[in-house]
Amino acid sequence: MKTVPALWFESCPWINGKWHHSLPPIEIRNPATFEGIASVSFADEACALTAINGAVAAQKSWARTSAVERGMILKRIAGLLLERKDAFARLLSAEQGKPYEQSIGEVEYAASFFQWFGEEARRVYGRITNHPDADREFLIQHKPAGVAALITPWNFPLAQGAKKVAAALAAGCTAVWKPSELTPLIALAMAPLMREAGLPDGVIQIVPGIGSVLGPILSSHPSIRVLSLTGSSATGSSVMSAASTGIKRVSLELGGNAPFIILPDADLDFVAEQLTRLKLFVSGQVCVTANRVFAPAHLQHKITELLAQKFAAARVGDGLAATMDAGPLINQHACAKVSQLVEDAVAGGANIALENRSFERDPRLARGSFFPPTILTDVQDTMRIAREEVFGPVLPILSYTDTGEAVKRANDTPYGLAAYVYGNNLSLCRAVASSLEVGIVGVNEWRPLKAEIPFGGVKQSGIGAEGGEEGLREFLETQVISIPKPSL
Ligand code: NAD
């Protein structure tokens, strides 16, 4: 059994390089055991205002810092994170609930964004281009957009922050980071590490707090030029409308309803192994998890049988215990939401093919927010479970008879984040992948997300991208200077 590390930071907002105690502390609990981990003082509006003003004050000098120097600091952050990954992973598992090995993966993934954007910082290229008048030319340059507000969710509380913080800082923006009120600790743990890496005070401000309290000020303050949110589509919509008054640039990474299409020639053992990993990863609380499995009708029984074996063998428990496949959900409210979706499906004719309740054998987990990994068959497109983001370890299986029909049904959703296609005929896989209205498709791969690629949704899954060279552009503005050509 791993332990929660002794905290090496204070549990309150980090502003201008100092800890600020603000509102009365609120207890953060381990979702597996309901034991308290720390009491956190959230930021109030005044505190958020101080943070924004500090970020404004630090902006000019950070933007003037050379891109090479900014990049070196970011790469040092990556190095320190990797050095301390065990402590960060233990804190992450305690606070978020995910199994320790998945937390280690998240720390490494977060570090990869600091490394990537540390390298990309020096690759912001402008250009000189022709002017229609022979004696003039255009200089096109990309400049830091200004102060950015970064709002992140609880499912990947470190990695979602890392994607935004690294890109904003690489671009030369300063930033106010508001982590989810459900998982503020891991963000606060980054503050001393970033300072140790050489980040000047005020460049990153961390304000844990309630979305409805801090959201309005972060979305409407005139000094915030970029508003980057990862969260639900409903929050995205409200943030976008709040930001519209000040015509702020918004970057939104929102919810999904990913289809997982199994083609008739797929290797079913491989599918069962990969799909189980995908669905149990962070207990299905992942924007890109498989939300609807489309199985060929004649193979549905066989696929369900293989998946049921894997789901039954999964180890479900405390993320800090040895080698778990799935942990708890974030809280009881999340369990109730998933439960309602399953009940609705069953009432509509779906069948529960398997439920893994192994966690019930451990009395330490009696107050934990666990939901049993579940396989549902005979799911129909019209059921809520197929139309809404499930955010739990439930695998709804739908059957199809024709590939074109499967694609059409897969696209019949307001979401467009991720999709998966499994099959042996790669040209068919490619044709199916290209027909899907989503930002990313994994062909015979369950986790294609990497720092090197732009990841973002289409339709109601978002605007903009994180990662790749595109991730930096979210924090840059383009300026054109029309100037007489120098002549001798
Ligand atoms: P959420 O929308 O409830 O909260 C996300 C963040 O927004 C939190 O920090 C919250 O405090 C803040 N917030 C809430 N109301 C706000 C408001 N009015 N103004 C400003 N900020 C506000 O989402 P969640 O429950 O934390 O996360 C789960 C959701 O995030 C899921 O829908 C999931 O699909 C999505 N998500 C998307 C991606 C992606 O890359 N597309 C990645 C991870 C999670």
Side-chain angles (χ1 to χ4, degrees):
M1 173 72 75
K2 309 264 177 206
T3 52
V4 184
L7 301 188
W8 59 93
F9 54 91
E10 288 191 38
S11 306
C12 60
W14 169 262
I15 300 172
N16 301 331
K18 293 193 180 66
W19 300 108
H20 281 245
H21 288 268
S22 181
L23 292 172
I26 288 181
E27 181 116 73
I28 302 295
R29 293 175 180 276
N30 179 335
T33 58
F34 209 59
E35 283 159 7
I37 309 167
S39 295
V40 177
S41 163
F42 283 164
D44 60 10
E45 284 179 328
C47 190
L49 198 58
T50 311
I52 294 171
N53 290 338
V56 171
Q59 172 59 48
K60 273 212 173 79
S61 112
W62 180 245
R64 272 201 303 264
T65 303
S66 81
V68 172
E69 173 65 15
R70 291 199 302 263
M72 272 167 29
I73 294 173
L74 292 174
K75 286 184 272 184
R76 279 201 293 271
I77 294 174
L80 288 172
L81 252 179
L82 292 176
E83 253 173 44
R84 294 169 199 174
K85 68 179 161 189
D86 171 64
F88 272 83
R90 282 191 283 143
L91 179 61
L92 197 45
S93 287
E95 181 180 35
Q96 202 280 338
K98 65 183 67 175
Y100 174 78
E101 292 74 14
Q102 295 180 16
S103 293
I104 287 280
E106 178 168 349
V107 178
E108 291 171 349
Y109 185 52
S112 76
F113 282 90
F114 283 107
Q115 181 68 30
W116 171 259
F117 284 116
E119 291 160 3
E120 285 295 287
R122 62 198 297 181
R123 299 199 188 98
V124 176
Y125 305 121
R127 65 186 200 270
I128 298 176
T129 193
N130 290 324
H131 192 290
D133 299 343
D135 57 346
R136 300 188 70 82
E137 62 189 357
F138 288 121
L139 313 184
I140 301 171
Q141 56 177 352
H142 305 293
K143 305 192 334 184
V147 179
L150 315 176
I151 305 178
T152 52
W154 49 263
N155 59 346
F156 293 89
L158 180 61
Q160 296 300 346
K163 290 177 178 189
K164 295 183 193 302
V165 171
L169 271 44
C173 294
T174 56
V176 180
W177 175 12
K178 192 206 88 58
S180 167
E181 53 271 46
L182 301 179
T183 51
L185 296 175
I186 199 79
L188 296 171
M190 285 297 288
L193 182 148
M194 292 197 271
R195 189 179 217 206
E196 188 181 334
L199 196 67
D201 293 344
V203 171
I204 183 77
Q205 316 275 43
I206 306 177
V207 288
I210 309 284
S212 56
V213 174
L214 301 185
I217 183 164
L218 293 176
S219 318
S220 63
H221 193 285
S223 296
I224 300 286
R225 295 312 317 149
V226 184
L227 197 55
S228 175
L229 164 89
T230 300
S232 63
S233 297
T235 304
S237 164
S238 97
V239 159
M240 195 171 169
S241 76
S244 69
T245 318
I247 318 287
K248 295 184 194 310
R249 178 187 291 227
V250 290
S251 177
L252 304 172
E253 302 295 330
L254 308 176
N257 181 3
F260 188 110
I261 301 179
I262 304 168
L263 295 173
D265 67 347
D267 172 343
L268 298 188
D269 289 313
F270 180 61
V271 167
E273 185 262 321
Q274 297 257 301
L275 185 48
T276 304
R277 289 182 72 186
L278 171 61
K279 190 71 241 189
L280 297 188
F281 185 55
V282 198
S283 296
Q285 303 168 106
V286 182
C287 54
V288 294
T289 195
N291 221 55
R292 293 169 294 155
V293 176
F294 288 93
H298 67 288
L299 296 176
Q300 192 187 346
H301 181 70
K302 177 77 189 150
I303 289 167
T304 306
E305 215 175 65
L306 290 170
L307 283 165
Q309 284 166 16
K310 301 267 179 214
F311 266 53
R315 294 152 300 184
V316 188
D318 183 350
L320 286 168
T323 45
M324 285 295 153
D325 298 303
L329 298 195
I330 191 68
N331 54 27
Q332 294 293 354
H333 176 66
C335 291
K337 243 171 101 182
V338 179
S339 183
Q340 278 168 16
L341 292 177
V342 172
E343 279 166 25
D344 175 81
V346 170
N351 289 302
I352 296 180
L354 183 112
E355 268 186 341
N356 176 338
R357 294 190 164 270
S358 54
F359 56 88
E360 289 175 349
R361 293 197 291 267
D362 185 346
R364 280 184 63 247
L365 310 181
R367 296 186 70 198
S369 42
F370 285 88
F371 194 89
T374 303
I375 298 177
L376 275 182
T377 56
D378 305 303
V379 173
Q380 305 301 320
D381 295 2
T382 48
M383 292 175 178
R384 279 181 60 202
I385 202 145
R387 306 210 70 78
E388 298 177 22
E389 192 177 33
V390 181
F391 246 54
V394 179
L395 198 60
I397 302 184
L398 301 87
S399 69
Y400 73 89
T401 47
D402 166 81
T403 309
E405 167 219 327
V407 169
K408 194 161 173 242
R409 287 166 58 199
N411 284 336
D412 183 19
T413 167
Y415 294 105
L417 194 57
Y420 304 86
V421 180
Y422 275 64
N424 277 335
N425 176 343
L426 285 186
S427 50
L428 179 60
C429 288
R430 189 167 178 176
V432 170
S434 298
S435 313
L436 293 168
E437 298 163 358
V438 294
I440 190 161
V441 185
V443 173
N444 299 336
E445 186 185 11
W446 74 276
R447 187 129 184 94
L449 308 187
K450 302 282 178 265
E452 289 83 351
I453 51 154
F455 167 59
V458 300
K459 302 200 279 189
Q460 289 180 25
S461 288
I463 298 174
E466 289 182 327
E469 56 179 272
E470 290 83 352
L472 208 56
R473 290 194 207 138
E474 304 289 318
F475 297 95
L476 292 169
E477 272 171 0
T478 302
Q479 183 186 49
V480 178
I481 300 176
S482 171
I483 194 166
K485 258 189 192 164
S487 61
L488 284 176

